Every structure is written in C-alpha cells, then in structure tokens.
C-alpha cells in the first residue's frame, strides 16, 4: 500500500491511526501473536477500522483534501518505491522498489542543457525509472508509462485546476514547466514587462494587452510592481476595501478568479489602491494587478519535464536537483488515475472541466493490494484483495498482507467508537483524555509520538476585532503584543497536557520534537544547536532542559502593560470585560476543558492587575473554524499542524503562505532578520520561505538551512500570534487479536510498523466472532 502522502495536513481533531502493539512470539491466544502462518485458504481476516468524519468530497488522487479521503485511497495505491521495515538494518528500514523494477538512474548528464537543466549539471535533475512489466489495474488492464504520464497531465491540466496540482508545481518534486502548463494561456502583466500604458481600451469598451483580453487578477496569484506576489482578494477587506465592493468583485470573477476589466472595475478598484488604507498607489501601479489571455504563453504538456521513452520507462526532470532521501520522500511522483475512467467521468463545471473520478466504487480503480467493492457515502466502505496486484506473486512480500478484507465505518462520536471497540467490532480506537484513567495502563494501549503540534492562534486584525465588539466587551486588546505574550507565559504546559490531553507532551516550538532534518541519520531538528538556541532565546533559558514557558510574574507585568496601552488608546473602559471567543470543532467535554484552562490561566495572571476578574474564554462550537479563522471571524482557535515529519522546512508553509490561519499576520509584509554565513539579511516571511524551499537556499548546506529555518521559527514565536502548547502523543488501543510488525516504536518513518502490509492476526474472522460472543461481546482491556 502507499506508505506516504507527503502533503502537510491541517487537522481539527485526532485522526485515525493504527498505533502500537507488540509481538510476543508464541501462542495464538487472544492478545498473543500467531504462529507466523500466512493466510490460510478460505479464511478471512478483516481489519475493522473507522473514519472520524463521513464528509467525503473525493477520494481521487488529483482532488482529495481531508485525512478521511486519503485514508480511503490508501489501500488501493502502491508507490514506485517503499520504505520497508527491516529490524536488521541500521535504522530498521530498507528502501525497496515496488511498482518500479529497479532503483532510479540519475540521467542528468544525458539531458544537461535541456529542460532548464544547466549545461554543466551532473546530478540530481533528471531521473529515469524502469517500471515492472507485470503491473495491472484491478480489472486486469496493463499499467504502462502512458498511465503515469496521463495522470501527471490531469494533475496539471489548466482546464481542470485540480486541488493537488501543487504537489507537482512546488517543493522538492516540482517538474520542469509544470507551473507554465498549469497556468495555461493566462499570464500576469508585470512579469511580461508590461506597463499601464499597454492596457488599451477598444471601441467595444473592452480592455486588452497586445490585442488579448485583460482582467483584474482578483483571486489569483499575481506579481505587483514592487515584486511581491499576492492574491489581492486575501488582503482587500483587511486593508480597507469596502465589503460591498469585495462582494461585487466576487460576483464578477470567473472560475480562474479573474474579473473582466471594465471602466467600473478600474474606477472602484483604483479608489481603493489609491487610498490611505492600501498605500496611495498611483494609477500606473494598477498594472501589477492585471492578467491577460495570450495563446503565445501556452505551454503544452510535451514541454513538461515528464517523459516516457517507452512503455515501461519514465524520465522525470526537476526544477531543482534532488538526491538522496528526499528524492523518494516527495521527489518522485507515483500517483495514478485510470485513464478511461477518469475521461469517462469528465464534465463541464462552470468555466472548468472536472472529473467525478473517485466518488464511488464504479468511478475508482485500484493499483494496490486492495480494491474497493462497497461504498456507502457517509456510512461505510469495504475492500477486498486486488488479485491483480503484482505483490501477491512476485516473491518479495512473503509473510505480508495477511489482511483479506478491510472495512471502515463512519463513527463520529468517541463514546460510540469505544463501545464498538469493546464489543470487538473495531480493531483499533484512539483514546481521549477522558479514557486515560480507565485504559491508560492497559497492556493493549500504546502511545505514539506524532509530528502534529497543538497551538493557540490569535486574530490580530484591529478592524475585524473592533467590528465584533459588543457593549462592555473589548477584543482589540488582542492586537497588543504584550497581551499575547502574557497569555503565552500564563500557560503551564505540563498541567495542560495532564488535564486536557490524552498524553501529549509540552511543546515550546512551532516545529514539534519529532521532525527529522537529516533523514539519512534520523537526526531531529529540535536537537540541533540552531533549534535549541531559538527556544532558549525566546523563553530566556540557559538550556532547553530548563524550559517551562511558564512565568506568572512576567505574565502579570505584561498584562498590565497591555491594559495601560489599550486604555490610553481609548480601546478599553474601566468596566469592560475581555471576552475571547474560542472557536473549536465541537462542545465536547475535552474541548471545554481546554477553554476553561485558558480562562483560569489568564484569570490567575490577571490577579492584582487592572484586568483582575475581567477575562473570559467562551467556547464557540464551529465545525468550519479553520476557514472562519482565515476570514477573521474568530478571536482565537486551537490549531494542529503536522505531517511530512522528515522535512521540517516545509512546515513554514503553514505560517508563511496562504495556508495560515492567523488573520492579521501578513506574511508578505512581516519580516525576519537572519544572519546567514556572516551576512545579515532581512526578508519577508514568504520571501524566506520561497528562498528556503525553491530559491537561493534550497540547495544550501545543512547548517545554512537550519540557521534560516530556526530564524524563521524565532520570528514567528516572538510575534506571539501563534502559541505552541503541546506535541501530540496519540494514545490508542489495539484489538486483542491484532499484532503489529514491531514490538517497539521504531522511528518517525516506520512508527510501530502498524500498516496493513505487516499487520497479523491471532484469529480469523470466524474465530474472533466466536471469542467475542463467549465474552458476551464485552471485552476486557
């Protein structure tokens, strides 16, 4: 099965994970391992799992968005290469070919001087992969290099604008000309060297550039005269545009996010850009917001760096060289969609063409060890073996894949999940803090460190906060950095983890303790001198061993400073309460505890200050609170960022790009000053991010990149709009009939070796059902 979905994911609650169990060779009693026998003919071994959400839009590789959607795809996918558990290897894993017939060959010198590769380049740009010649779809149709090329073309189709296109247009796996093909015939005027004088109004009233229709790039990336890149819609209302004008432009834009340029559009838009709110820009600067259609700009797919010299060979050409671990951890693309099915399910949707591939059993195909055979939207999914999968007969997977069937049922309530687990109807269940007193010490409970970090995030936009104040309620105090720093110092993180989580550990940095910066040696980012120095400087500690992040006296002092400034500015009165609307997914008890914890922490800090007894956090149940936070509709949220645990550099994209939730923090304007190799440089946060991921420092030495990464982290922490509080440690129980591949947590890459490839069972389905019945379907854990 596919071992990795590299995209960083934002999650609102605990996601399904198979966590931790040991293997104690011996008997086949419940809770003990099997004798090691592989699948017996006629016996069924069904893994019973659950999805925490039934909201599924698509489980297509080109369009999936949520964890539940990626979970549905996983059993039906195989990668070109796999990180496979090997207890005898130095780091307990081997990198082995799966869909590929052999390890990739670096053919950079063969293509040097072409496809954007420097003429003197010798390695890292071009990679040739030989495919196995026995690959098949679940219906027996052969899989060839043409299937892979077709898939890449669909990901990048300018007519489709698929959600996952960015996996090909950015980061380590960016293909040559992928961006140009994805953009189609649409180009920004400034990068083409145009001025406002080139925008010409015709007799028909239409504006053109070189005879091609011109548009306001309202909801699409464009480069301003200043050189900065913006999606201007994201900032307009925040910086003074009337909501009525923004809504009017929204109503005019097409599916690309472009608005046809007219006299009225120019007049209303220029009234804003020339205002004090945006910066009194002259009319000629309007060119920075203009895009236009020009067929000459079109890039065809045969110009993209993805070649198929024959039926079983792929050559992938990258914008930036990539060698070693990261080539396999995101550098080589291996997703597939079945061409005939994908094409058959295409239809026009507005100005775009979309495919409903991956929305039902009939519109989805497998090229992995299992195939989907039943799907009830919002309720239930079932899989059986894909007998056309090469791995069952190639001799390289002996003793693996004992599971014959998989089922996922949608179970949104934790109490229901636990009840089903205790009846033997689920094979694993995540635990929450309420469950720890009863099951925290069970021999079937395992704790797994995760890359996800729990953080509190503030809205710092004065106008938006002011607009939501009510009588005798102040919110604009959140814009004072002293308030946010006081909050950070009021938190006893140890206490928070004990009282509000299922075993999380205190976190002080934006990047959790479980990120690896050097995957070849599984070396942790947080253990580097740069990362440790950042935390010590932020929290005023001599060493990381002294970190607590808790300083009640300083929190009191800062709260008084914040109040005095806010009062002097006329933003708070003597009788105003400070009410923080804490948006979170639901009002369940665990979330209420987090809200109460924040209230109590700040009330304690406020004792003896002008804010004594005047602070309150209110829980607002909001299933869409991430999106609402992006729009400035929340005061405060708890967010969780993680994923891609072996590439901490990508984590900055969660805070320095449009992925961020912190309304009021402008990553295009907020700067960080970092000394790099003796030179002190100041850049905006997004400029640092781009330089680190795909620009001047993308291929710098490790010390340089760590210096930049830690410097960016420091700048974000010192603004206190993000306050780290805990790193995830997932507590879960596994069924008494389940064994995982290792008897210990191996490492961040392999976990507990608990994926379906290494999962084994002490009893088949019939034996397990009989055993549960003998226990009156109430198992003891």
């Amino acid at each position: 099965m596919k071992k990795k979905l590299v995209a960083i994911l934002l999650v609102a609650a605990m996601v399904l994970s198979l966590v931790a169990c040991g293997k104690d060779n011996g008997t086949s009693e419940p809770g003990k391992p099997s004798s090691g026998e592989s699948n017996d003919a006629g016996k069924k071994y069904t893994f019973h799992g659950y999805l925490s959400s039934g909201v599924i839009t698509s489980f297509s590789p080109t369009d999936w968005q949520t964890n539940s959607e990626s979970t549905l795809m996983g059993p039906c996918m195989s990668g070109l290469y796999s990180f496979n558990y090997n207890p005898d290897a130095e780091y307990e894993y081997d990198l082995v070919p799966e869909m590929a017939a052999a390890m990739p060959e670096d053919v950079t010198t063969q293509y040097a001087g072409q496809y954007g590769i420097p003429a003197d380049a010798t390695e890292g740009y071009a990679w040739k992969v030989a495919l196995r010649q026995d690959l098949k779809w679940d219906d027996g149709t052969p899989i060839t290099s043409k299937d892979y090329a077709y898939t890449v073309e669909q990901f990048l189709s300018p007519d489709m604008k698929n959600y996952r296109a960015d996996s090909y247009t950015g980061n380590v796996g960016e293909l040559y000309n992928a961006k140009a093909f994805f953009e189609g015939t649409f180009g920004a005027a400034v990068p083409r060297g145009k001025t406002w004088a080139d925008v010409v109004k015709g007799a028909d009233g239409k504006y053109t550039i070189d005879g091609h229709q011109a548009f306001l790039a309202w909801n699409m990336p464009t480069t301003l005269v200043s050189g900065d890149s913006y999606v201007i819609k994201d900032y307009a209302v925040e910086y003074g545009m009337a909501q009525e004008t923004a809504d009017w432009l929204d109503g005019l834009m097409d599916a690309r996010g472009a608005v046809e340029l007219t006299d009225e559009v120019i007049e209303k838009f220029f009234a804003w850009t020339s205002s004090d709110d945006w910066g009194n820009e002259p009319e000629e600067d309007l060119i920075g917001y203009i895009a236009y259609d020009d067929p000459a700009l079109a890039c065809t797919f045969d110009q993209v760096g993805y070649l198929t010299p024959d039926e079983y060979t792929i050559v992938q050409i990258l914008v930036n060289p990539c060698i070693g671990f990261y080539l396999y951890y995101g550098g080589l693309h291996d997703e597939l969609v079945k061409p005939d099915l994908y094409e058959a399910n295409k239809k026009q949707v507005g100005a775009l063409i979309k495919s409903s591939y991956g929305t039902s059993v009939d519109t989805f195909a497998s090229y992995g060890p299992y195939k989907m055979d039943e799907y009830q939207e919002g309720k239930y999914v079932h899989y059986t073996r894909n007998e056309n999968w090469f791995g069952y007969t190639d001799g390289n997977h002996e003793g693996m894949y004992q599971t014959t069937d998989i089922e996922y049922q949608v179970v949104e309530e934790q109490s229901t999940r636990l009840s089903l687990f205790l009846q033997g109807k689920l094979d694993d269940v995540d635990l929450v803090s309420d469950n720890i007193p009863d099951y925290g010490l069970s021999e079937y409970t395992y704790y797994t460190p995760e890359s996800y970090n729990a953080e509190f995030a503030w809205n710092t936009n004065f106008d938006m906060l002011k607009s939501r104040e009510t009588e005798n309620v102040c919110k604009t105090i959140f814009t004072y950095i002293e308030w946010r720093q006081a909050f950070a110092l009021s938190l006893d993180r140890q206490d928070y983890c004990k009282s509000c989580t299922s075993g999380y550990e205190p976190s002080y940095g934006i990047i959790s303790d479980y990120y690896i910066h050097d995957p070849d040696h599984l070396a942790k980012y947080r253990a580097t001198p740069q990362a440790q120095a950042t935390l010590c400087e932020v929290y005023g500690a001599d060493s990381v061993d002294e970190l607590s992040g808790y300083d009640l006296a300083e929190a009191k002092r800062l709260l008084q400073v914040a109040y005095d400034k806010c009062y002097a500015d006329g933003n708070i009165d003597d009788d105003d309460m400070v009410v923080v609307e804490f948006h979170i997914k639901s009002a369940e008890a665990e979330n209420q505890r987090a809200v109460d914890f924040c209230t109590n922490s700040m009330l304690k800090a406020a004792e003896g200050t002008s804010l004594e007894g005047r602070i309150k956090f209110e829980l607002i149940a909001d299933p869409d609170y991430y999106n609402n936070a992006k729009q400035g509709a929340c005061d405060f949220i708890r967010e969780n960022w993680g994923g891609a645990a072996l590439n901490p550099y990508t984590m900055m994209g969660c805070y320095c790009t449009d992925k961020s939730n912190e309304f009021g923090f402008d990553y295009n304007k907020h700067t960080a000053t970092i000394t790099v190799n003796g030179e002190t440089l100041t850049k905006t946060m997004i400029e640092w991010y781009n330089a680190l991921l795909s620009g001047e420092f993308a291929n710098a030495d490790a010390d340089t990149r760590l210096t930049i990464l830690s410097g960016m982290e420091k700048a974000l922490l010192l603004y206190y709009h993000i306050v780290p509080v805990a790193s995830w440690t997932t507590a879960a129980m596994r069924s008494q009939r389940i064994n995982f591949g290792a008897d210990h947590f191996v490492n961040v890459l392999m976990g507990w070796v608990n994926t379906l490839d290494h999962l084994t069972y002490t009893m088949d389905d019939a034996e397990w059902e009989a055993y549960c019945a003998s226990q009156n379907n109430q198992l003891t854990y």
Side-chain angles (χ1 to χ4, degrees), residues 282-572:
E283 184 181 36
E284 55 263 31
D285 280 4
L286 284 174
I287 191 64
Y289 308 96
I290 305 303
Y292 64 106
D293 271 319
D294 184 354
L297 300 176
C299 170
T300 56
F301 185 65
D302 60 4
Q303 296 172 292
V304 174
Y306 200 88
L307 317 178
T308 53
D310 59 53
E311 279 195 314
Y312 296 103
T313 304
I314 295 165
V315 176
Q316 176 174 295
I317 300 173
L318 303 174
V319 170
N320 295 299
C322 184
I323 59 175
F325 181 90
Y326 287 119
L327 179 68
Y328 307 97
Y329 193 72
L332 289 173
H333 299 289
D334 54 12
E335 299 94 342
L336 281 174
V337 297
K338 195 166 187 288
D340 56 344
L341 268 183
Y342 202 86
E343 284 294 320
N345 286 282
K346 284 184 177 181
K347 63 180 178 181
Q348 194 80 26
V349 179
L352 298 177
I353 296 173
K354 302 301 291 182
S355 176
S356 57
Y357 186 88
T359 55
S360 67
V361 171
D362 295 336
T363 60
F364 187 59
S366 169
Y367 57 98
Y370 301 95
K371 62 182 180 182
M372 186 183 295
D373 66 348
E374 186 177 354
Y375 174 66
Q376 299 176 28
E377 186 175 359
K379 296 181 180 179
Y380 178 80
V381 191
H382 186 270
Y383 305 79
T384 58
R385 283 172 170 271
N386 171 17
E387 298 299 342
N388 283 306
W389 184 58
F390 66 91
Y392 292 131
T393 57
D394 70 349
N396 294 330
H397 300 80
E398 295 298 325
M400 300 169 65
Y401 294 102
Q402 187 178 21
T403 301
T404 60
D405 296 71
I406 309 163
E407 68 172 26
Y408 292 116
Q409 53 184 307
V410 175
V411 191
E412 296 185 347
E413 295 295 326
Q414 173 65 13
S415 58
T416 307
R417 296 171 197 158
L418 185 58
S419 175
L420 290 171
F421 178 81
L422 296 175
Q423 295 172 50
K425 295 179 180 179
L426 291 177
D427 282 318
D428 80 315
V429 65
D430 284 338
L431 300 178
V432 299
S433 56
D434 284 346
N435 308 138
I436 297 303
D438 293 325
Y439 302 106
L441 297 179
S442 169
E443 65 176 298
Y444 302 102
T445 296
Y446 293 80
Y447 295 88
T448 302
E450 301 280 356
S451 64
Y452 290 94
N453 216 37
E455 300 155 354
F456 295 122
W458 289 97
N459 179 346
T460 59
N461 180 266
F462 184 92
D463 291 339
M464 185 61 75
L465 292 168
K466 189 71 175 177
S467 71
R468 296 195 299 105
E469 289 183 344
T470 56
E471 186 175 359
N472 296 126
V473 171
C474 174
K475 295 182 183 294
T476 52
I477 196 171
F478 311 151
T479 64
Y480 295 84
I481 193 169
E482 291 85 0
W483 164 275
R484 304 193 300 274
Q485 187 177 3
F487 170 75
L489 295 176
S490 77
L491 298 176
D492 184 335
R493 289 165 173 78
Q494 292 279 359
D495 189 20
Y496 177 86
C497 291
K498 289 178 182 177
S499 60
C500 298
T501 77
S502 58
Y504 291 11
E505 297 178 1
S507 179
Y508 307 99
I510 288 172
I511 301 173
S512 82
D513 288 351
Y514 298 100
Y515 270 88
I516 302 297
H517 81 93
D518 177 5
D520 289 328
H521 302 94
L522 294 178
K524 291 183 177 182
Y525 165 70
R526 288 258 70 99
T528 66
Q530 293 93 331
Q532 292 190 355
T534 283
L535 295 189
C536 289
E537 290 176 38
V538 168
Y539 294 101
D542 293 328
S543 73
V544 291
D545 295 332
E546 298 176 5
L547 288 175
S548 73
Y550 182 55
D551 188 338
L552 192 59
E554 182 65 2
K556 288 178 181 293
R557 185 190 73 81
L558 289 165
L559 267 186
Q560 188 63 54
V561 172
Y563 177 83
D564 291 343
K565 287 185 176 181
C566 194
Y567 188 86
D569 292 339
N571 294 321
I572 192 169

Side-chain angles (χ1 to χ4, degrees), residues 690-721:
N690 290 334
L692 189 59
L693 267 292
S694 58
E696 59 188 297
F697 299 113
N699 295 300
D701 61 88
D703 279 346
T704 298
R705 301 191 79 220
L706 286 167
T707 296
I708 294 169
L709 179 61
S710 60
M712 293 175 70
E713 185 182 27
K714 178 182 173 182
L716 292 167
L717 287 170
L718 288 176
Y719 194 65
Y720 294 101
H721 62 308

Side-chain angles (χ1 to χ4, degrees), residues 170-244:
N171 295 332
V172 295
E174 182 178 348
L175 296 176
Y176 173 74
N177 260 347
K179 286 181 180 176
F181 179 66
F182 181 71
E183 290 170 358
T185 64
F186 222 43
V190 171
R192 310 298 174 190
K194 304 300 179 182
T195 68
W196 185 241
D198 294 309
V199 183
V200 179
K201 182 180 178 181
D204 59 358
K206 293 184 180 296
Y207 284 86
T208 60
I209 295 177
D210 296 341
H212 305 295
Q213 187 166 6
F215 299 83
L216 172 67
W218 173 237
N219 192 28
M220 54 179 292
T222 188
T223 302
L224 308 187
V225 174
S226 64
D228 293 329
S229 180
Y230 282 85
V231 176
I232 203 65
K233 179 183 184 299
D234 292 346
Y235 297 92
V237 173
E238 181 180 354
Y239 286 93
M241 178 182 280
Q243 186 67 55
E244 180 182 359

